[in-house]
Every structure is written in structure tokens, then in C-alpha cells.
Amino acid sequence: MRVALFATCVNDALYPSTAIATVKVLERLGVEVDFPAAQTCCGQPQYNTGYRRATEPLVLRTARAFEGYDHVVTPSGSCVAMVRDNYPRIGAKAVAEGRGRELAGAAASLVPHVYELTEFLVDVLGVTDVGACFPHTVTYHPSCHGLRMLGLGDRPRRLLEAVRGLELVELPGAEECCGFGGTFAVKNADVSEAMGEDKIRNAMSTGADVLCGADNSCLMHIGGMLRRQDAPQRALHLAEILASTEEEPLR
Amino acid sequence: MSGTYLGMPAFPRAARDAVRDTTLRGNLRHATHTIRDKRARAVAELDDWAALREAGKRIKDHTLRHLDRYLVRVEEAVTAAGGTVHWAADAEEANRIVADLVKATGESEVVKVKSMATQETGLNEALEAEGIRAYETDLAELIVQLGKDRPSHILVPAIHRNRGEIRDIFRSEMGEWGRPAPEGLTDTPAELAEAARLHLREKFLRAKVGISGANFMVAETGTLVVVESEGNGRMCLTLPETLISVVGIEKVIPTWRDLEVFLQLLPRSSTAERMNPYTSMWTGTTDGDGPRAFHLVLLDNGRTDTLADEVGRQALRCIRCSACLNVCPVYERAGGHAYGSVYPGPIGAILSPQLRGTGSEIDASLPYASSLCGACYEVCPVAIDIPEVLVHLREKVADQGGAGHRLERAAMRTATWLLDHPAALNAAERLASSTRKLHPKRLPGPGARQWTNSRDLPDLPAEPFRDWWKKNHA
Ligand code: SF4
């Protein structure tokens, strides 16, 4: 099976380790991975801040970059939600504004093929045990996009539970937003910080070594706070835990 | 909308103080978490909740699509039942109509049922200016009124007050308005409730005019419906000689069968009860029973403009249950006052800028008062996609330009250009990576400063993913 990796701009520029880990996990499971170099960003920051028209070139670019692949996999729930929920909206608005069907067509061609990593592993490949080993205590933060927009449900937990040596502990208030929200973290910095503080307080109360999530943008916010406070806990992307094995353990 | 909120600072500034007020944050956290957990249990009891929600959404959408027709039907039915219908284009007109109606009775006092519509129009202040005193009879609304305060929640307007504060307000203010608080009043709920009961009883028995809103208007019979917990509303609806109801035009539903859906959706979503204690319904006037005169003021005040917006109009489905407030992480920290409107929380963030327009600083900031986490959409009993509307309104605000948005637009365009040119992007990534040792942990400048106030930036990687890929896979 050949899949296209959608690395997303955040993973590409700031967290390449997450994209590398995704490649490793997929290849370990016998999947042939491609990285179409024409891809960049799904346009989420622009769109969510109110710049829909500035998003349009990226909708087209993203759709074209992944043309012809049955499966497009990304370790970023919020980018999948962007494609699934908002690409059709962007397309429909362009049609309503009398600017043709190109964007709507691009959205329609991409939407059915895009998978968040845990969806792809559990639903398409049908695996929960990916052969990982990570002997640490982990608590899982289900980011809002994965939780509510994609309905990932217990897929990430099932994957984590199958990791050898991993002890999963419940995160109090897990379903609450961490306060990142893209430009929200800057435009409403005080509220964002207050939300983040509550999130890391809950995370540290678990005593876990690692706070795990499936979206690096939330982890950048949570992890940045943990580090500023010199907390013993670190934030880590789910893909990196799944990539960790006995032979090649994650530090 | 109410003039009292004009000149509010933008949301981020208004929220700042609330965020730092640990007592307020504690009160709000406790109150919202208790009610949200109860709501979740009450909703889980019904296995057809999803179907009910869909039905509620459809009935409202259908009614809004044919609003003209149903409103005319309401008018005909109310008139046939002995009532009089008035149409008010805006808050000012609604207040004028009500003031004139009260004056015509020769009265200078009215009792009020809790009503968002009259809060929205600032009716109490308008009546005051005409020498008419309006007494709020809902317990929480009474606390807000006595405390010369503003409501901070749709359902529990005094949610930001604790019992000690309420006792102090009762002690010092009740005497100003009528029967004073009993000597030695403590802050036990029973004593506070009894003090309010005695204070209000006087008002109920004396008042000749009652003013209400309505949760629903049933078009087929012209029946108005008020759903409440305390029974004070029912006193206002039945004891006075004249009843004036001010109702937003979006409150109409076609038939009694439709009401069945909402009487299931509303109590569970708002108070987490299977059924609310009091549901009052009235149709025009009835000989020998209830008010002798009934007036219905149908309020537009920005609603037809909202209806014209294809994405934004779904906000008019709102049944004011306040479930979205109770799950909202931003409301929980910022408090209701920061929204600068009688409609706080997620629904306020999309309703106020539509009803009032985005001309003022506060209204232009409201669409950004959300992390788009989607919790509000998930609980909304009529499935209003609040995040969708927020983003839609952000586009409007960004388009109108103004404070900071021109700079932001330029930055977004530059970002898009870069992201649309992978080679340039890659060069920028490489530059950042190669200079990564030089990047400080705290940065100056707008945006970066806010970010690094409380968080470390991530370490830049030695190379971007696309370079790793080229080396290892291509
Ligand atoms: S938007 Fe929905 S959840 Fe919020 S008050 Fe209105 S009906 Fe209730």
C-alpha cells in the first residue's frame, strides 16, 4: 500500500521528529510512504483568523499535491479537521461568489482521502499494536479537533495501551481545551495562559513522565509552558511514542 | 442593544481582570462545572437526544425560512384572542411602545418576569427615565438589580456573586426598593430565599402591570410560553391587570407539536432538569381570569439583518439555554461581563456582533474570544455551529480593516506567498535552522512577546523534515 504523508507546516519546520516518527511507524507496518514535495500548509492559521481568501491558494496547492493517492496520512488532527470541515466550505463560498468550481472540486477530490494518523492505523490498517515499546508513565490529552471534530474516540488510547511498558494514566479534565487555538494564544493571551495553566496543573497532578497528544500545535503551547516552569514532565507527540521500539528506543 | 454597554473595552482587556480575580474564577469554575456535569447526565438519559436535537434544529430553520408567514399568523391569532400586537424595529421603538402602554394605565410601577429581550433593549433604564420603576422578580435578576450590577450569565445572571455578597446586597439595598431585609439576615440559602420572597410578595400584590418576555410563541394559536424554575414569573403573568410581553421575532414556532420538542431540549440543556418546575402559557385575554389587557411587542433589533446572513443566521435558532456558556473554557475564565452584552459566552460572541454590527471595539473583538474548541457546538441543543459562525464573523471583521488588521492581513498574505512557494519556504526553514543557536527564549514584538510571556518557544530542529526526507528517502 502506498500512502502520501502530509507532514504539515508545523511538523516540517518545527517538529520534524514527529513526521520522521510517522514515516517509521508506517514503514514498520509495511506501508510504502511518499512525501509529495509540493505540499506545504493546509491554510488553517489563515482561515481561522478570518483570511479565507488568503487560504485559497493553499487549498488548491494541498489538493493538487496529493492528487492520485488513495490515502493521505497526517499526524495532525487539526489539519485533517481543516480539510474535512473547512475545505468544502471554502469551495462552496467561492461558488456562491461566482468564482467557479475549481476550489470546490479540489476540496471534493481531497476530503475523502485524508486520514489522521490514529484513524489510519486503526480503521484502515486495522492495527492497534504497532510493535512499539515505551517504558514510561503517559497521560493523554485529546486535542479539541481530534476529540470533537474528528471524533477520534478511543483510537489513540487503544494504540497507547498496546505499547509495551507504557502505563497510561487518566488526565483530569482531559476534554478541556488547552488554550492554544492558533492566533487565540496571542490575541487573547491572558485567557489562553489561564487555560494552559489549568491544563498543565492537571497534567502534572497525574505524576506522568510524559503528556502525549496527537497535535503538535497544542503540544507546542503545553510543552512551552511545562518547560518555562521547569516541570519534570515533557510533552510528546503520539507518533514518536509509537515509533519507539526496544531496538530503537526514544531517548 | 442596551446603551449601558457602549464604550466597553475590547474582549482581551475586559477579560484580563477577570482572569486575575481568583475568587471570581473559583466561583465560575465551580458553578459551570457542576451544571455541565449534571447536564451531561440529564442528556445521557435520553436515547433519542440526537434525533431531538436534529428536530429542534429543523423546526427552527423551517420557521426562520418562513418567518414572515408565521409572524403574521401570530399577529392574527393574538388579535383574535383579544390581544394587541405591536411591531418594534429596534430597542428604542420597543421601549417607547412599552413606556406608552404603561403610562396609559396610569401606573408608575411594573413587575417583571426575567426576560433577555428587555435586557437587550435596556427597558428598565428607559422606563426609569420616564418615571416608571420596573421590579425584577427573578431571584438572580433581583440580585443584579439591587446590586446595580450587570447580568453575567443568561440563566443565572448573578452567577458571579457568592452568598456572602448576596446577603450584603440584600441588607443594604432591599430597603431602598421596598420591604427591607429581615434583621440579622445570614447567608444561608433558605434565609436569603425567604428574604427575597417577602420582599417580592409586596410587589406582586400591588402591581397592576406585568412585563414579560417569552421562550416560545406558538403561531397556530398565538400562545406565549414561559419556562421557569421559581414560579415568580407565573405571579407576574397572572396577577396584574395589564400584561405586556416583549418577544424577539425569532421565538416563534409553528405548532404545539413543535413545542413538544423544545420542552424536552430546553430544561435538560439549561438546568439539567427533566422538566422545569413551571411552564406558563397564555393566549390573549380570558374573561374573569388573568390580565384584562394583553400586549405583544414583537422585537426585531437586528434580527432581520442577521437572518440575511447565510452562515450567521443559525444564531437565531438559539433557545437561550446557556449550555454553551457552561462548557466554554473562555467564559469560565473571562467571566460574563467581559463580553459587553447581555448575551455572554459563545452565543454572545456570535449574536452580539450580528445584532449590533461590528462597529465598536468590543463587538469587533468578540469573534476572536474563542479558541474554537467546539465544546459549545457539541452541547448546543439546536446544533448551532458556533465555531463556524465565529470564523465567518472574523472574516467580516478582518475585511472591515481597522486596528491591527491591515498589518495582520499583510502578514497572512506573506505567509501564504511563502507557503505557496515550497522552494522559498525551504530556504526560510534552512535559514532558521542554521541560526537556531542565536534564537532567544523570550522575544520582543507583538505576538512573539505575548507568546513568550508564559511559554518557551520550541527548539528549532537541526533541519526541516523536507531535508531529512531528501537525504533519507528521495
Ligand atoms: S447557542 Fe445553543 S447552547 Fe448556547 S444558549 Fe443558544 S441554544 Fe443554548
PDB file of all heavy atoms in Angstrom, chain B residues 177-196:
ATOM      1  N   TRP B 177     -35.806  49.724  47.912  1.00  0.00           N
ATOM      2  CA  TRP B 177     -36.746  49.324  46.870  1.00  0.00           C
ATOM      3  C   TRP B 177     -38.093  48.865  47.420  1.00  0.00           C
ATOM      4  O   TRP B 177     -39.027  48.624  46.664  1.00  0.00           O
ATOM      5  CB  TRP B 177     -36.150  48.185  46.045  1.00  0.00           C
ATOM      6  CG  TRP B 177     -34.974  48.607  45.222  1.00  0.00           C
ATOM      7  CD1 TRP B 177     -33.709  48.834  45.657  1.00  0.00           C
ATOM      8  CD2 TRP B 177     -34.964  48.867  43.814  1.00  0.00           C
ATOM      9  NE1 TRP B 177     -32.909  49.213  44.615  1.00  0.00           N
ATOM     10  CE2 TRP B 177     -33.645  49.243  43.461  1.00  0.00           C
ATOM     11  CE3 TRP B 177     -35.944  48.812  42.807  1.00  0.00           C
ATOM     12  CZ2 TRP B 177     -33.292  49.569  42.158  1.00  0.00           C
ATOM     13  CZ3 TRP B 177     -35.572  49.131  41.507  1.00  0.00           C
ATOM     14  CH2 TRP B 177     -34.260  49.507  41.194  1.00  0.00           C
ATOM     15  N   GLY B 178     -38.191  48.693  48.721  1.00  0.00           N
ATOM     16  CA  GLY B 178     -39.450  48.185  49.270  1.00  0.00           C
ATOM     17  C   GLY B 178     -39.188  47.598  50.636  1.00  0.00           C
ATOM     18  O   GLY B 178     -38.456  48.166  51.447  1.00  0.00           O
ATOM     19  N   ARG B 179     -39.737  46.423  50.869  1.00  0.00           N
ATOM     20  CA  ARG B 179     -39.567  45.808  52.180  1.00  0.00           C
ATOM     21  C   ARG B 179     -38.101  45.481  52.444  1.00  0.00           C
ATOM     22  O   ARG B 179     -37.460  44.785  51.662  1.00  0.00           O
ATOM     23  CB  ARG B 179     -40.414  44.531  52.230  1.00  0.00           C
ATOM     24  CG  ARG B 179     -40.337  43.856  53.570  1.00  0.00           C
ATOM     25  CD  ARG B 179     -41.248  42.635  53.571  1.00  0.00           C
ATOM     26  NE  ARG B 179     -41.075  41.893  54.806  1.00  0.00           N
ATOM     27  CZ  ARG B 179     -42.081  41.439  55.521  1.00  0.00           C
ATOM     28  NH1 ARG B 179     -43.324  41.629  55.120  1.00  0.00           N
ATOM     29  NH2 ARG B 179     -41.866  40.766  56.632  1.00  0.00           N
ATOM     30  N   PRO B 180     -37.545  45.975  53.554  1.00  0.00           N
ATOM     31  CA  PRO B 180     -36.132  45.730  53.832  1.00  0.00           C
ATOM     32  C   PRO B 180     -35.873  44.260  54.194  1.00  0.00           C
ATOM     33  O   PRO B 180     -36.814  43.528  54.521  1.00  0.00           O
ATOM     34  CB  PRO B 180     -35.828  46.627  55.033  1.00  0.00           C
ATOM     35  CG  PRO B 180     -37.093  47.262  55.430  1.00  0.00           C
ATOM     36  CD  PRO B 180     -38.214  46.746  54.602  1.00  0.00           C
ATOM     37  N   ALA B 181     -34.601  43.901  54.167  1.00  0.00           N
ATOM     38  CA  ALA B 181     -34.224  42.541  54.559  1.00  0.00           C
ATOM     39  C   ALA B 181     -34.465  42.366  56.051  1.00  0.00           C
ATOM     40  O   ALA B 181     -34.340  43.315  56.824  1.00  0.00           O
ATOM     41  CB  ALA B 181     -32.751  42.317  54.238  1.00  0.00           C
ATOM     42  N   PRO B 182     -34.837  41.158  56.485  1.00  0.00           N
ATOM     43  CA  PRO B 182     -35.055  40.908  57.916  1.00  0.00           C
ATOM     44  C   PRO B 182     -33.780  41.187  58.708  1.00  0.00           C
ATOM     45  O   PRO B 182     -32.682  41.020  58.199  1.00  0.00           O
ATOM     46  CB  PRO B 182     -35.398  39.413  57.969  1.00  0.00           C
ATOM     47  CG  PRO B 182     -35.734  39.007  56.590  1.00  0.00           C
ATOM     48  CD  PRO B 182     -35.039  39.955  55.669  1.00  0.00           C
ATOM     49  N   GLU B 183     -33.984  41.594  59.987  1.00  0.00           N
ATOM     50  CA  GLU B 183     -32.838  41.823  60.892  1.00  0.00           C
ATOM     51  C   GLU B 183     -31.977  40.569  60.981  1.00  0.00           C
ATOM     52  O   GLU B 183     -32.500  39.455  61.027  1.00  0.00           O
ATOM     53  CB  GLU B 183     -33.371  42.124  62.306  1.00  0.00           C
ATOM     54  CG  GLU B 183     -33.905  43.529  62.507  1.00  0.00           C
ATOM     55  CD  GLU B 183     -32.817  44.594  62.411  1.00  0.00           C
ATOM     56  OE1 GLU B 183     -31.751  44.381  63.027  1.00  0.00           O
ATOM     57  OE2 GLU B 183     -33.018  45.600  61.704  1.00  0.00           O
ATOM     58  N   GLY B 184     -30.686  40.766  61.007  1.00  0.00           N
ATOM     59  CA  GLY B 184     -29.763  39.648  61.234  1.00  0.00           C
ATOM     60  C   GLY B 184     -29.770  38.595  60.134  1.00  0.00           C
ATOM     61  O   GLY B 184     -29.509  37.417  60.401  1.00  0.00           O
ATOM     62  N   LEU B 185     -30.061  39.011  58.926  1.00  0.00           N
ATOM     63  CA  LEU B 185     -30.074  38.080  57.791  1.00  0.00           C
ATOM     64  C   LEU B 185     -28.700  37.414  57.629  1.00  0.00           C
ATOM     65  O   LEU B 185     -27.676  38.090  57.656  1.00  0.00           O
ATOM     66  CB  LEU B 185     -30.425  38.851  56.506  1.00  0.00           C
ATOM     67  CG  LEU B 185     -30.420  38.066  55.196  1.00  0.00           C
ATOM     68  CD1 LEU B 185     -31.574  37.078  55.157  1.00  0.00           C
ATOM     69  CD2 LEU B 185     -30.501  39.016  54.001  1.00  0.00           C
ATOM     70  N   THR B 186     -28.692  36.093  57.506  1.00  0.00           N
ATOM     71  CA  THR B 186     -27.429  35.383  57.283  1.00  0.00           C
ATOM     72  C   THR B 186     -27.318  34.981  55.813  1.00  0.00           C
ATOM     73  O   THR B 186     -28.189  35.326  55.015  1.00  0.00           O
ATOM     74  CB  THR B 186     -27.331  34.106  58.144  1.00  0.00           C
ATOM     75  OG1 THR B 186     -28.201  33.116  57.583  1.00  0.00           O
ATOM     76  CG2 THR B 186     -27.686  34.386  59.594  1.00  0.00           C
ATOM     77  N   ASP B 187     -26.261  34.246  55.496  1.00  0.00           N
ATOM     78  CA  ASP B 187     -26.105  33.889  54.081  1.00  0.00           C
ATOM     79  C   ASP B 187     -26.542  32.451  53.794  1.00  0.00           C
ATOM     80  O   ASP B 187     -26.128  31.868  52.797  1.00  0.00           O
ATOM     81  CB  ASP B 187     -24.657  34.122  53.636  1.00  0.00           C
ATOM     82  CG  ASP B 187     -23.682  33.173  54.315  1.00  0.00           C
ATOM     83  OD1 ASP B 187     -24.097  32.434  55.231  1.00  0.00           O
ATOM     84  OD2 ASP B 187     -22.494  33.175  53.927  1.00  0.00           O
ATOM     85  N   THR B 188     -27.405  31.866  54.648  1.00  0.00           N
ATOM     86  CA  THR B 188     -27.904  30.532  54.316  1.00  0.00           C
ATOM     87  C   THR B 188     -28.924  30.677  53.176  1.00  0.00           C
ATOM     88  O   THR B 188     -29.703  31.631  53.152  1.00  0.00           O
ATOM     89  CB  THR B 188     -28.586  29.846  55.508  1.00  0.00           C
ATOM     90  OG1 THR B 188     -29.682  30.661  55.931  1.00  0.00           O
ATOM     91  CG2 THR B 188     -27.625  29.667  56.671  1.00  0.00           C
ATOM     92  N   PRO B 189     -28.908  29.737  52.233  1.00  0.00           N
ATOM     93  CA  PRO B 189     -29.807  29.832  51.088  1.00  0.00           C
ATOM     94  C   PRO B 189     -31.272  29.997  51.513  1.00  0.00           C
ATOM     95  O   PRO B 189     -32.000  30.793  50.916  1.00  0.00           O
ATOM     96  CB  PRO B 189     -29.590  28.500  50.362  1.00  0.00           C
ATOM     97  CG  PRO B 189     -28.208  28.093  50.731  1.00  0.00           C
ATOM     98  CD  PRO B 189     -28.000  28.587  52.133  1.00  0.00           C
ATOM     99  N   ALA B 190     -31.695  29.279  52.543  1.00  0.00           N
ATOM    100  CA  ALA B 190     -33.102  29.357  52.959  1.00  0.00           C
ATOM    101  C   ALA B 190     -33.460  30.767  53.423  1.00  0.00           C
ATOM    102  O   ALA B 190     -34.507  31.307  53.062  1.00  0.00           O
ATOM    103  CB  ALA B 190     -33.372  28.349  54.075  1.00  0.00           C
ATOM    104  N   GLU B 191     -32.586  31.386  54.193  1.00  0.00           N
ATOM    105  CA  GLU B 191     -32.869  32.734  54.685  1.00  0.00           C
ATOM    106  C   GLU B 191     -32.854  33.758  53.558  1.00  0.00           C
ATOM    107  O   GLU B 191     -33.681  34.678  53.523  1.00  0.00           O
ATOM    108  CB  GLU B 191     -31.855  33.139  55.768  1.00  0.00           C
ATOM    109  CG  GLU B 191     -32.200  32.595  57.130  1.00  0.00           C
ATOM    110  CD  GLU B 191     -31.375  33.269  58.232  1.00  0.00           C
ATOM    111  OE1 GLU B 191     -31.116  34.488  58.135  1.00  0.00           O
ATOM    112  OE2 GLU B 191     -30.982  32.548  59.157  1.00  0.00           O
ATOM    113  N   LEU B 192     -31.912  33.587  52.642  1.00  0.00           N
ATOM    114  CA  LEU B 192     -31.841  34.521  51.508  1.00  0.00           C
ATOM    115  C   LEU B 192     -33.104  34.411  50.652  1.00  0.00           C
ATOM    116  O   LEU B 192     -33.692  35.411  50.236  1.00  0.00           O
ATOM    117  CB  LEU B 192     -30.597  34.246  50.652  1.00  0.00           C
ATOM    118  CG  LEU B 192     -29.247  34.518  51.319  1.00  0.00           C
ATOM    119  CD1 LEU B 192     -28.097  34.076  50.413  1.00  0.00           C
ATOM    120  CD2 LEU B 192     -29.107  36.003  51.655  1.00  0.00           C
ATOM    121  N   ALA B 193     -33.544  33.164  50.420  1.00  0.00           N
ATOM    122  CA  ALA B 193     -34.735  32.948  49.601  1.00  0.00           C
ATOM    123  C   ALA B 193     -35.968  33.525  50.300  1.00  0.00           C
ATOM    124  O   ALA B 193     -36.836  34.145  49.666  1.00  0.00           O
ATOM    125  CB  ALA B 193     -34.925  31.454  49.341  1.00  0.00           C
ATOM    126  N   GLU B 194     -36.050  33.362  51.604  1.00  0.00           N
ATOM    127  CA  GLU B 194     -37.200  33.877  52.352  1.00  0.00           C
ATOM    128  C   GLU B 194     -37.223  35.407  52.320  1.00  0.00           C
ATOM    129  O   GLU B 194     -38.270  36.027  52.158  1.00  0.00           O
ATOM    130  CB  GLU B 194     -37.139  33.368  53.806  1.00  0.00           C
ATOM    131  CG  GLU B 194     -38.293  33.803  54.694  1.00  0.00           C
ATOM    132  CD  GLU B 194     -39.660  33.279  54.232  1.00  0.00           C
ATOM    133  OE1 GLU B 194     -39.697  32.424  53.309  1.00  0.00           O
ATOM    134  OE2 GLU B 194     -40.679  33.741  54.773  1.00  0.00           O
ATOM    135  N   ALA B 195     -36.053  36.014  52.449  1.00  0.00           N
ATOM    136  CA  ALA B 195     -35.973  37.477  52.382  1.00  0.00           C
ATOM    137  C   ALA B 195     -36.475  37.975  51.029  1.00  0.00           C
ATOM    138  O   ALA B 195     -37.241  38.944  50.954  1.00  0.00           O
ATOM    139  CB  ALA B 195     -34.533  37.945  52.614  1.00  0.00           C
ATOM    140  N   ALA B 196     -36.061  37.284  49.971  1.00  0.00           N
ATOM    141  CA  ALA B 196     -36.496  37.678  48.630  1.00  0.00           C
ATOM    142  C   ALA B 196     -38.001  37.475  48.472  1.00  0.00           C
ATOM    143  O   ALA B 196     -38.707  38.304  47.893  1.00  0.00           O
ATOM    144  CB  ALA B 196     -35.744  36.861  47.578  1.00  0.00           C
TER     145      ALA B 196
END
